[in-house]
Amino acid sequence: MISARHFWPRYLIASMISVSVTLLVFRMTLLAFDWSYESATIFAACIAMPINWLAGEQLTWMTTVSRKMRALRYYLVYTMGLCIEVAGVHLFGHMLGCTPHIANASAVFSSMLFTGPMNHLWIWSGSVGQDRREWQTK
């Protein structure tokens, strides 16, 4: 198990891997194809999603909830985060007139404000909460 205080630094590493992949694939997609910001965002997120899952799962290894259940919860949270990201890239890129890369980075950050806490509370919370309870009884 991982202690509650070690969750966030490890989760941050997994998130930075995912963000890097997302921003890179978004840029490459815009350069290679004549796609809208929204389409490029969805494509980039679909590439980064399994990478983020694997990195998060390996770095925050939790054992109290089955891996299948964690995966299902993760993909539900990530899908909600993707909706936030697409809305954000539309808002920042088309409505506010930001450059595509600033729009995408802002949208990814907005999405992370939702997905980070949800991942902590709903996906990997079993072991973090259990570890915290064990610490409080000592």
PDB file of all heavy atoms in Angstrom, residues 10 26 28 64 73-74 76-77 81 91 93 98 103 120 122-123 135:
ATOM      1  N   ARG A  10       3.254  11.014  -6.307  1.00  0.00           N
ATOM      2  CA  ARG A  10       3.274   9.959  -7.330  1.00  0.00           C
ATOM      3  C   ARG A  10       2.200  10.194  -8.379  1.00  0.00           C
ATOM      4  O   ARG A  10       2.410   9.965  -9.557  1.00  0.00           O
ATOM      5  CB  ARG A  10       3.100   8.598  -6.673  1.00  0.00           C
ATOM      6  CG  ARG A  10       4.305   8.203  -5.864  1.00  0.00           C
ATOM      7  CD  ARG A  10       4.116   6.851  -5.248  1.00  0.00           C
ATOM      8  NE  ARG A  10       5.290   6.505  -4.476  1.00  0.00           N
ATOM      9  CZ  ARG A  10       5.626   5.272  -4.191  1.00  0.00           C
ATOM     10  NH1 ARG A  10       4.878   4.265  -4.606  1.00  0.00           N
ATOM     11  NH2 ARG A  10       6.706   5.027  -3.486  1.00  0.00           N
ATOM     12  N   PHE A  26      -1.458  16.527 -29.379  1.00  0.00           N
ATOM     13  CA  PHE A  26      -2.310  17.626 -29.850  1.00  0.00           C
ATOM     14  C   PHE A  26      -1.561  18.463 -30.886  1.00  0.00           C
ATOM     15  O   PHE A  26      -2.077  18.755 -31.955  1.00  0.00           O
ATOM     16  CB  PHE A  26      -2.737  18.497 -28.665  1.00  0.00           C
ATOM     17  CG  PHE A  26      -3.594  19.674 -29.048  1.00  0.00           C
ATOM     18  CD1 PHE A  26      -4.953  19.524 -29.253  1.00  0.00           C
ATOM     19  CD2 PHE A  26      -3.036  20.933 -29.194  1.00  0.00           C
ATOM     20  CE1 PHE A  26      -5.759  20.604 -29.601  1.00  0.00           C
ATOM     21  CE2 PHE A  26      -3.822  22.028 -29.531  1.00  0.00           C
ATOM     22  CZ  PHE A  26      -5.185  21.858 -29.738  1.00  0.00           C
ATOM     23  N   MET A  28       1.121  17.630 -32.695  1.00  0.00           N
ATOM     24  CA  MET A  28       1.400  16.848 -33.904  1.00  0.00           C
ATOM     25  C   MET A  28       0.147  16.679 -34.748  1.00  0.00           C
ATOM     26  O   MET A  28       0.207  16.723 -35.978  1.00  0.00           O
ATOM     27  CB  MET A  28       1.994  15.485 -33.522  1.00  0.00           C
ATOM     28  CG  MET A  28       3.396  15.605 -32.958  1.00  0.00           C
ATOM     29  SD  MET A  28       4.154  14.088 -32.292  1.00  0.00           S
ATOM     30  CE  MET A  28       3.334  12.769 -33.073  1.00  0.00           C
ATOM     31  N   THR A  64      -6.980  -2.553  -2.452  1.00  0.00           N
ATOM     32  CA  THR A  64      -8.233  -2.866  -1.781  1.00  0.00           C
ATOM     33  C   THR A  64      -9.435  -2.926  -2.707  1.00  0.00           C
ATOM     34  O   THR A  64     -10.422  -3.544  -2.385  1.00  0.00           O
ATOM     35  CB  THR A  64      -8.534  -1.855  -0.657  1.00  0.00           C
ATOM     36  OG1 THR A  64      -8.609  -0.557  -1.230  1.00  0.00           O
ATOM     37  CG2 THR A  64      -7.464  -1.899   0.415  1.00  0.00           C
ATOM     38  N   ARG A  73     -13.846   2.823 -13.117  1.00  0.00           N
ATOM     39  CA  ARG A  73     -13.994   4.141 -12.498  1.00  0.00           C
ATOM     40  C   ARG A  73     -13.069   5.163 -13.156  1.00  0.00           C
ATOM     41  O   ARG A  73     -13.453   6.300 -13.399  1.00  0.00           O
ATOM     42  CB  ARG A  73     -13.688   4.066 -11.004  1.00  0.00           C
ATOM     43  CG  ARG A  73     -14.740   3.333 -10.213  1.00  0.00           C
ATOM     44  CD  ARG A  73     -14.327   3.223  -8.769  1.00  0.00           C
ATOM     45  NE  ARG A  73     -15.357   2.577  -7.971  1.00  0.00           N
ATOM     46  CZ  ARG A  73     -15.239   2.345  -6.686  1.00  0.00           C
ATOM     47  NH1 ARG A  73     -14.148   2.719  -6.032  1.00  0.00           N
ATOM     48  NH2 ARG A  73     -16.211   1.750  -6.025  1.00  0.00           N
ATOM     49  N   TYR A  74     -11.836   4.744 -13.431  1.00  0.00           N
ATOM     50  CA  TYR A  74     -10.870   5.648 -14.059  1.00  0.00           C
ATOM     51  C   TYR A  74     -11.383   6.136 -15.407  1.00  0.00           C
ATOM     52  O   TYR A  74     -11.349   7.324 -15.704  1.00  0.00           O
ATOM     53  CB  TYR A  74      -9.518   4.946 -14.244  1.00  0.00           C
ATOM     54  CG  TYR A  74      -8.594   5.728 -15.126  1.00  0.00           C
ATOM     55  CD1 TYR A  74      -7.874   6.798 -14.615  1.00  0.00           C
ATOM     56  CD2 TYR A  74      -8.478   5.434 -16.481  1.00  0.00           C
ATOM     57  CE1 TYR A  74      -7.046   7.546 -15.431  1.00  0.00           C
ATOM     58  CE2 TYR A  74      -7.661   6.176 -17.300  1.00  0.00           C
ATOM     59  CZ  TYR A  74      -6.939   7.229 -16.766  1.00  0.00           C
ATOM     60  OH  TYR A  74      -6.140   7.966 -17.589  1.00  0.00           O
ATOM     61  N   LEU A  76     -14.414   6.258 -16.512  1.00  0.00           N
ATOM     62  CA  LEU A  76     -15.570   7.143 -16.332  1.00  0.00           C
ATOM     63  C   LEU A  76     -15.120   8.557 -15.947  1.00  0.00           C
ATOM     64  O   LEU A  76     -15.602   9.541 -16.511  1.00  0.00           O
ATOM     65  CB  LEU A  76     -16.517   6.584 -15.267  1.00  0.00           C
ATOM     66  CG  LEU A  76     -17.343   5.370 -15.666  1.00  0.00           C
ATOM     67  CD1 LEU A  76     -18.081   4.805 -14.449  1.00  0.00           C
ATOM     68  CD2 LEU A  76     -18.322   5.729 -16.759  1.00  0.00           C
ATOM     69  N   VAL A  77     -14.195   8.640 -15.008  1.00  0.00           N
ATOM     70  CA  VAL A  77     -13.673   9.952 -14.599  1.00  0.00           C
ATOM     71  C   VAL A  77     -12.951  10.612 -15.762  1.00  0.00           C
ATOM     72  O   VAL A  77     -13.129  11.803 -16.023  1.00  0.00           O
ATOM     73  CB  VAL A  77     -12.747   9.807 -13.365  1.00  0.00           C
ATOM     74  CG1 VAL A  77     -11.959  11.092 -13.114  1.00  0.00           C
ATOM     75  CG2 VAL A  77     -13.549   9.436 -12.141  1.00  0.00           C
ATOM     76  N   GLY A  81     -13.598  14.109 -17.615  1.00  0.00           N
ATOM     77  CA  GLY A  81     -12.511  15.061 -17.777  1.00  0.00           C
ATOM     78  C   GLY A  81     -12.312  15.450 -19.235  1.00  0.00           C
ATOM     79  O   GLY A  81     -12.024  16.612 -19.552  1.00  0.00           O
ATOM     80  N   LEU A  91     -13.935  26.842 -25.570  1.00  0.00           N
ATOM     81  CA  LEU A  91     -14.059  28.147 -24.917  1.00  0.00           C
ATOM     82  C   LEU A  91     -12.795  28.989 -25.105  1.00  0.00           C
ATOM     83  O   LEU A  91     -12.857  30.124 -25.585  1.00  0.00           O
ATOM     84  CB  LEU A  91     -14.351  27.969 -23.421  1.00  0.00           C
ATOM     85  CG  LEU A  91     -14.291  29.239 -22.569  1.00  0.00           C
ATOM     86  CD1 LEU A  91     -15.478  30.144 -22.881  1.00  0.00           C
ATOM     87  CD2 LEU A  91     -14.260  28.881 -21.096  1.00  0.00           C
ATOM     88  N   GLY A  93     -10.149  28.474 -27.114  1.00  0.00           N
ATOM     89  CA  GLY A  93      -9.662  28.621 -28.482  1.00  0.00           C
ATOM     90  C   GLY A  93     -10.572  29.394 -29.405  1.00  0.00           C
ATOM     91  O   GLY A  93     -10.116  30.271 -30.144  1.00  0.00           O
ATOM     92  N   CYS A  98      -7.737  32.402 -27.866  1.00  0.00           N
ATOM     93  CA  CYS A  98      -6.370  31.996 -27.515  1.00  0.00           C
ATOM     94  C   CYS A  98      -5.769  31.156 -28.633  1.00  0.00           C
ATOM     95  O   CYS A  98      -6.493  30.554 -29.428  1.00  0.00           O
ATOM     96  CB  CYS A  98      -6.373  31.179 -26.224  1.00  0.00           C
ATOM     97  SG  CYS A  98      -6.924  32.082 -24.775  1.00  0.00           S
ATOM     98  N   ALA A 103      -4.900  27.288 -25.606  1.00  0.00           N
ATOM     99  CA  ALA A 103      -6.253  26.790 -25.363  1.00  0.00           C
ATOM    100  C   ALA A 103      -6.222  25.358 -24.859  1.00  0.00           C
ATOM    101  O   ALA A 103      -6.913  25.012 -23.888  1.00  0.00           O
ATOM    102  CB  ALA A 103      -7.091  26.891 -26.635  1.00  0.00           C
ATOM    103  N   HIS A 120      -8.392  10.550  -6.737  1.00  0.00           N
ATOM    104  CA  HIS A 120      -8.002  10.313  -5.352  1.00  0.00           C
ATOM    105  C   HIS A 120      -9.173   9.803  -4.525  1.00  0.00           C
ATOM    106  O   HIS A 120      -9.037   8.857  -3.749  1.00  0.00           O
ATOM    107  CB  HIS A 120      -7.445  11.605  -4.749  1.00  0.00           C
ATOM    108  CG  HIS A 120      -6.988  11.450  -3.342  1.00  0.00           C
ATOM    109  ND1 HIS A 120      -7.757  11.830  -2.271  1.00  0.00           N
ATOM    110  CD2 HIS A 120      -5.846  10.951  -2.823  1.00  0.00           C
ATOM    111  CE1 HIS A 120      -7.104  11.567  -1.154  1.00  0.00           C
ATOM    112  NE2 HIS A 120      -5.943  11.039  -1.464  1.00  0.00           N
ATOM    113  N   TRP A 122     -12.225   8.512  -5.576  1.00  0.00           N
ATOM    114  CA  TRP A 122     -13.101   7.436  -6.048  1.00  0.00           C
ATOM    115  C   TRP A 122     -12.345   6.236  -6.591  1.00  0.00           C
ATOM    116  O   TRP A 122     -12.805   5.110  -6.484  1.00  0.00           O
ATOM    117  CB  TRP A 122     -14.031   8.002  -7.110  1.00  0.00           C
ATOM    118  CG  TRP A 122     -15.220   7.144  -7.393  1.00  0.00           C
ATOM    119  CD1 TRP A 122     -16.000   6.456  -6.512  1.00  0.00           C
ATOM    120  CD2 TRP A 122     -15.785   6.882  -8.675  1.00  0.00           C
ATOM    121  NE1 TRP A 122     -17.003   5.804  -7.156  1.00  0.00           N
ATOM    122  CE2 TRP A 122     -16.898   6.044  -8.498  1.00  0.00           C
ATOM    123  CE3 TRP A 122     -15.459   7.286  -9.964  1.00  0.00           C
ATOM    124  CZ2 TRP A 122     -17.682   5.601  -9.544  1.00  0.00           C
ATOM    125  CZ3 TRP A 122     -16.245   6.856 -11.006  1.00  0.00           C
ATOM    126  CH2 TRP A 122     -17.345   6.014 -10.793  1.00  0.00           C
ATOM    127  N   ILE A 123     -11.186   6.432  -7.172  1.00  0.00           N
ATOM    128  CA  ILE A 123     -10.506   5.318  -7.824  1.00  0.00           C
ATOM    129  C   ILE A 123      -9.520   4.650  -6.888  1.00  0.00           C
ATOM    130  O   ILE A 123      -9.560   3.445  -6.680  1.00  0.00           O
ATOM    131  CB  ILE A 123      -9.806   5.795  -9.113  1.00  0.00           C
ATOM    132  CG1 ILE A 123     -10.854   6.335 -10.081  1.00  0.00           C
ATOM    133  CG2 ILE A 123      -9.021   4.653  -9.759  1.00  0.00           C
ATOM    134  CD1 ILE A 123     -10.301   7.094 -11.239  1.00  0.00           C
ATOM    135  N   TRP A 135      -2.768   4.826  10.318  1.00  0.00           N
ATOM    136  CA  TRP A 135      -1.850   5.814  10.874  1.00  0.00           C
ATOM    137  C   TRP A 135      -2.474   6.505  12.087  1.00  0.00           C
ATOM    138  O   TRP A 135      -1.804   6.766  13.073  1.00  0.00           O
ATOM    139  CB  TRP A 135      -1.489   6.828   9.790  1.00  0.00           C
ATOM    140  CG  TRP A 135      -0.599   7.905  10.282  1.00  0.00           C
ATOM    141  CD1 TRP A 135       0.747   7.820  10.506  1.00  0.00           C
ATOM    142  CD2 TRP A 135      -0.968   9.230  10.631  1.00  0.00           C
ATOM    143  NE1 TRP A 135       1.223   9.017  10.971  1.00  0.00           N
ATOM    144  CE2 TRP A 135       0.189   9.900  11.051  1.00  0.00           C
ATOM    145  CE3 TRP A 135      -2.173   9.926  10.633  1.00  0.00           C
ATOM    146  CZ2 TRP A 135       0.178  11.219  11.459  1.00  0.00           C
ATOM    147  CZ3 TRP A 135      -2.173  11.236  11.033  1.00  0.00           C
ATOM    148  CH2 TRP A 135      -1.014  11.879  11.443  1.00  0.00           C
TER     149      TRP A 135
END
